[in-house]
Amino acid sequence: MATRGWVPEQDEHPESVTVRRDEPRVVATTIAIGLLIITASLLRHDGDIAGLVKFGAGDTVALRTAHVEDVLDRDVATVGLLGHDGSMFFLQALDPLYLSPDEHAVYLDRPRYRAQRMLFPLVAGLGGLLPPEAVLWSMGVINLAALVFGTLGTARVAQRLGGSPWLGLSFALNPGIIFEFDISGAGIVAFACAIWGTLAVMDGRTRASVWWFVAAVLAREVMLLYLAGVCCHRLFTTRRLPWALGGIPVLSTLAWMIYVRFRLASHDGVTEVQEFGPPFGGLLASVDQWLTDPVELAIILCLIGLMPVLVVRAVQRPNPLAWGALGFVVLAVFLTRQVWWNFFDISRAITPIMTASTVMALTAPRRRPDCAVSPS
């Protein structure tokens, strides 16, 4: 049976030539944003790229940082007490398949939880073959490439929805994405892959979309929520269960999870997850913290305000981008105070909401339904 994908209206108009010319400008702007983040980090940390990876300086992580310095055979720039996610991904990149789990993985705070996010460290360390010093740089380079790739994909998704390619910058300028870049997190790679999976769905390229979503969920397992939203949209528009689109990424996640539990010893894989709790519990428990900082309060309220906007637009104009991001609205309800208490953490946890709500708010309504119609 022949397949038919998304039919963008703007291709019917002469201005489509201008739209194509805008894409290189969007890409150039994104590269400048990424280089600015890297340069700012180098300047803050006396030219040490380790500052972008964010190793901790506190007593509780002293052994981890000492191990890193031993591996690199030099001192590293440190930030704060605990450091951030990049320090974990660096250790993972040294042995991403956990062939010698007692060498580096023992310094992870929650080994099985961290190991579930395997794609970024696997690529950054070239499967564990890259020298440690080179890994520090490759993490920044890969996130720069993912920033550009995600922005370009978002620009094309926006065009399919009748918007300008400049809306691709809603990916690069997403605060959650910027914070992820600044701590060398895996969220940029994960969301970029999900965006390209979304684009493939919209274009009727089901096989390509499956592999993009496999990459997305292996970069960050919470992207399964985004995939669930996309699958619901497919079911809604085609009246067929998208077995391949939903099943293969889920099976890949389960397969890696089993492998990780075979390779890594841990006290309890369930209690390693500290980010989920009772509905609205984390949000309500964080109010007192927000009230101490008017700026933080204003930003958090704006972020919360984007959620109903996204829900309304997703109902008005069903499409894979909006429905994928809806999964993170559900996620937000169950996040704990550990995530909700400041903008830095919550913006990284629900990154797709900000990009999707911006694109949906700034694209004109279409005359045809926003749906892909190729069978899965």
Side-chain angles (χ1 to χ4, degrees), residues 13-368:
H13 302 289
E15 58 265 25
S16 61
V17 175
T18 303
V19 164
R20 287 194 294 271
R21 290 174 179 170
D22 280 340
E23 279 192 359
R25 299 187 181 101
V26 172
V27 168
T29 302
T30 305
I31 292 173
I33 293 170
L35 291 177
L36 182 62
I37 294 172
I38 294 174
T39 302
S41 178
L42 289 171
L43 291 174
R44 288 198 309 268
H45 301 100
D46 298 324
D48 188 355
I49 190 62
L52 190 64
V53 179
K54 300 294 188 292
F55 297 105
D59 293 339
T60 57
V61 297
L63 287 177
R64 182 188 308 147
T65 302
H67 174 69
V68 168
E69 292 180 336
D70 190 41
V71 167
L72 293 170
D73 194 25
R74 69 175 180 86
D75 293 338
V76 296
T78 56
V79 296
L81 295 177
L82 300 178
H84 288 293
D85 292 358
S87 62
M88 308 296 176
F89 286 120
F90 173 78
L91 291 172
Q92 291 173 247
L94 299 179
D95 182 22
L97 299 178
Y98 305 100
L99 301 179
S100 302
D102 293 333
E103 186 175 358
H104 303 296
V106 291
Y107 294 98
L108 300 174
D109 58 349
R110 294 177 282 169
R112 289 179 176 175
Y113 171 77
R114 298 291 180 182
Q116 192 62 48
R117 302 175 177 186
M118 58 84 75
L119 183 63
F120 179 47
L122 180 69
V123 176
L126 290 183
L129 300 177
L130 207 61
E133 189 70 37
V135 171
L136 294 174
W137 287 95
S138 72
M139 291 172 71
V141 170
I142 289 168
N143 266 340
L144 175 60
L147 188 74
V148 173
F149 207 54
T151 298
L152 180 60
T154 304
R156 293 183 179 178
V157 168
Q159 290 174 69
R160 302 297 191 277
L161 294 169
S164 164
W166 286 100
L167 287 174
L169 292 178
S170 64
F171 184 99
L173 294 176
N174 184 319
I177 291 293
I178 292 175
F179 290 145
E180 280 287 293
F181 201 136
D182 191 51
I183 65 170
S184 294
I188 308 176
V189 171
F191 192 27
C193 290
I195 286 291
W196 279 86
T198 302
L199 182 63
V201 167
M202 297 171 82
D203 289 344
R205 296 179 289 113
T206 302
R207 187 172 300 177
S209 69
V210 168
W211 295 114
W212 280 119
F213 279 115
V214 167
V217 300
L218 288 179
R220 192 167 178 240
E221 74 286 351
V222 75
M223 296 310 293
L224 286 168
L225 290 174
Y226 187 99
L227 175 61
V230 173
C231 288
C232 287
H233 178 263
R234 293 280 289 175
L235 177 62
F236 173 73
T237 56
T238 67
R239 300 297 188 267
R240 294 185 180 185
L241 286 171
W243 294 108
L245 179 61
I248 294 176
V250 169
L251 289 175
S252 68
T253 303
L254 290 175
W256 179 254
M257 185 182 298
I258 292 171
Y259 175 79
V260 163
R261 276 150 180 73
F262 175 73
R263 297 300 305 173
L264 297 178
S266 185
H267 54 282
D268 186 346
V270 175
T271 57
E272 284 197 355
V273 180
Q274 304 167 358
E275 287 77 15
F276 305 119
F280 299 104
L283 191 153
L284 295 175
S286 303
V287 173
D288 288 345
Q289 166 67 24
W290 303 337
L291 292 176
T292 64
D293 186 343
V295 175
E296 185 85 20
L297 176 63
I299 294 174
I300 291 287
L301 289 178
C302 288
L303 179 58
I304 293 174
L306 291 177
M307 297 183 192
V309 172
L310 176 63
V311 172
V312 170
R313 295 292 280 177
V315 172
Q316 291 174 339
R317 300 180 55 208
N319 65 82
L321 175 67
W323 282 42
L326 285 179
F328 286 79
V329 175
V330 177
L331 173 69
V333 172
F334 294 94
L335 292 174
T336 60
R337 183 180 183 276
Q338 177 177 324
V339 183
W340 265 111
W341 80 291
N342 65 44
F343 179 55
F344 173 81
D345 289 315
I346 189 61
S347 65
R348 292 186 299 117
I350 55 175
T351 293
I353 291 176
M354 287 174 280
T355 293
S357 59
T358 300
V359 171
M360 292 303 297
L362 298 177
T363 50
R366 297 167 60 89
R367 294 188 297 272
R368 293 190 288 273

